[in-house]
Amino acid sequence: MGITRDQNVNIPAKSWKITGKVNASSFLQSYKKDAIKCMYYCKPVMQEALLWYSTWWGPFILLILCYISNIIFLFFEYLSQDNKSLAMSKACSMVSTMWSSYISFWHGQTFTGLENIPKTGGAVIVWYHGPMPVDYFGLIAEVFKRDGRIINTVVDKCLLRVPGLGRVRKYLRCGAFSKVECAGLLGDGELVGLAPGGSREALFDDSYSVCWRQRVGFAKIAAFTQSPIIPVFTENIRLSYCTMLSAGAVWRTIFEVTRLPIVPIYGGFPVQVTTHIGSPIMAREGETLMQLQERVKMAMTDLIRTHQRPDVDIKTGLGQRLGKIMLGVENNK
């Protein structure tokens, strides 16, 4: 049979239609696979963004409590015309009760090894810095309630610029103390609290890895004054408040350039936190500052390894806290 002119014209048209359908189908399948991959990789980011959007206000509760504390100090300062020291002692007692009540109610904070913090004499309290120092506020309140002692806290200079908290810094003794000032406080038998990891540990350590680098200032003042170093770690502190892991490289770059803690923080989740206070560590004769720092770092690492379960997430932490609350209710019946 011969092929007509019309058939010669129609063959390419049919071939084009079939090829077009195949290409469209392949494109849709490829697009679907890419979309699934994109959703897979974006899911953690979307979840974190949703958590931040839902709980961005959580850290501001601590800031509000700081301003309430400042108002209490101002009020007692105004009334203390005759006996200022007694009035401010009552103000500190009221502030410590407020903080401990809030942290005990919302986070169920408990303490182990509190007897390791001396009731008299100087000591360096080295604590692991979580995203928000709610646990450290609780420790300050607990020590004051027990002994009537205020822990002198070394803070970052940027925190001194926060307006309206002058009385809190004054009466709770928070400042950017130098090594000489810290040594003087220890020589006077005072407690000095500091976090060698600082802002980097608070904002960028998502695995409890103790980011101290080569910082040996605390070891230097402890060795010079022959004061004990007491490591402190709070279990689940990175579950109660969290820093934004998404775009972490961007936040880290901004911090390294500006030295400002401009990292989104969210949370305020009512998970159970337990503050573990380790045994005192004394400097040994002939020991270098770096060796002393390593011993304290190992003690902190042991506290973390012993008490912090790596498989616990926010959901699990909330479930554990709820279980303890329900158990307490049943026991009270």
Side-chain angles (χ1 to χ4, degrees), residues 102-109 269-273 316-333:
Y102 165 73
I103 298 170
S104 177
F105 168 76
W106 193 247
H107 294 291
Q109 185 179 25
F269 303 108
V271 299
Q272 175 80 36
V273 296
T316 305
L318 290 172
Q320 291 174 349
R321 178 78 196 286
L322 181 61
K324 288 184 178 181
I325 293 174
M326 297 303 294
L327 182 62
V329 171
E330 290 181 0
N331 291 336
N332 291 331
K333 287 183 179 180

Side-chain angles (χ1 to χ4, degrees), residues 53-314:
Y53 182 77
S54 304
T55 63
W56 61 267
W57 47 268
F60 286 94
I61 294 178
L62 299 185
L63 186 61
I64 292 170
L65 289 177
C66 286
Y67 279 109
I68 293 175
S69 301
N70 202 79
I71 292 171
I72 292 173
F73 285 128
L74 281 171
F75 179 73
F76 275 83
E77 196 177 61
Y78 176 76
L79 295 179
S80 61
Q81 302 296 331
D82 298 328
N83 195 336
K84 186 174 181 179
S85 60
L86 179 60
M88 299 322 297
S89 177
K90 290 182 178 180
C92 287
S93 179
M94 181 177 292
V95 169
S96 66
T97 300
M98 178 187 70
W99 277 101
S100 62
S101 299
Y102 165 73
I103 298 170
S104 177
F105 168 76
W106 193 247
H107 294 291
Q109 185 179 25
T110 56
F111 299 89
T112 65
L114 190 63
E115 67 278 2
N116 290 325
I117 297 179
K119 296 184 178 182
T120 59
V124 181
I125 298 174
V126 173
W127 53 287
Y128 176 86
H129 202 319
M132 295 294 289
V134 60
D135 57 322
Y136 184 68
F137 289 148
L139 179 64
I140 292 174
E142 191 69 19
V143 170
F144 182 82
K145 286 169 59 180
R146 188 192 71 170
D147 308 323
R149 306 184 75 188
I150 295 290
I151 302 175
N152 298 269
T153 304
V154 181
V155 300
D156 195 282
K157 290 180 180 178
C158 70
L159 296 179
L160 302 180
R161 302 170 191 162
V162 180
L165 295 178
R167 296 304 186 278
V168 169
R169 290 189 287 265
K170 178 180 179 180
Y171 294 112
L172 295 185
R173 303 178 190 173
C174 303
F177 303 120
S178 67
K179 296 183 184 69
V180 174
E181 290 173 318
C182 289
L185 289 169
L186 291 170
D188 293 337
E190 298 283 347
L191 296 173
V192 175
L194 52 87
S199 297
R200 285 188 182 88
E201 186 173 76
L203 301 176
F204 305 110
D205 177 29
D206 59 336
S207 58
Y208 300 97
S209 56
V210 190
C211 308
W212 291 1
R213 296 190 174 184
Q214 304 298 314
R215 295 184 175 180
V216 294
F218 70 91
K220 188 173 184 177
I221 60 175
F224 179 76
T225 60
Q226 286 299 297
S227 301
I229 302 174
I230 304 169
V232 175
F233 169 73
T234 298
E235 182 182 350
N236 293 338
I237 188 58
R238 302 200 78 90
L239 298 181
S240 56
Y241 294 90
C242 309
T243 53
M244 184 74 75
L245 297 180
S246 304
V250 176
W251 308 124
R252 185 64 179 263
T253 302
I254 293 173
F255 172 79
E256 296 296 345
V257 172
T258 65
R259 286 296 188 272
L260 296 175
I262 306 175
V263 179
I265 300 178
Y266 60 95
F269 303 108
V271 299
Q272 175 80 36
V273 296
T274 303
T275 299
H276 303 280
I277 302 159
S279 301
I281 300 171
M282 297 295 298
R284 296 170 179 168
E285 186 176 352
E287 186 177 39
T288 66
L289 296 180
M290 200 63 205
Q291 289 172 337
L292 178 56
Q293 190 243 44
E294 283 295 327
R295 281 205 298 129
V296 179
K297 187 176 179 180
M298 284 301 300
M300 183 72 77
T301 303
D302 288 341
L303 283 176
I304 295 172
R305 190 179 296 129
T306 301
H307 300 290
Q308 185 61 54
R309 287 176 50 190
D311 59 332
V312 176
D313 55 12
I314 295 173

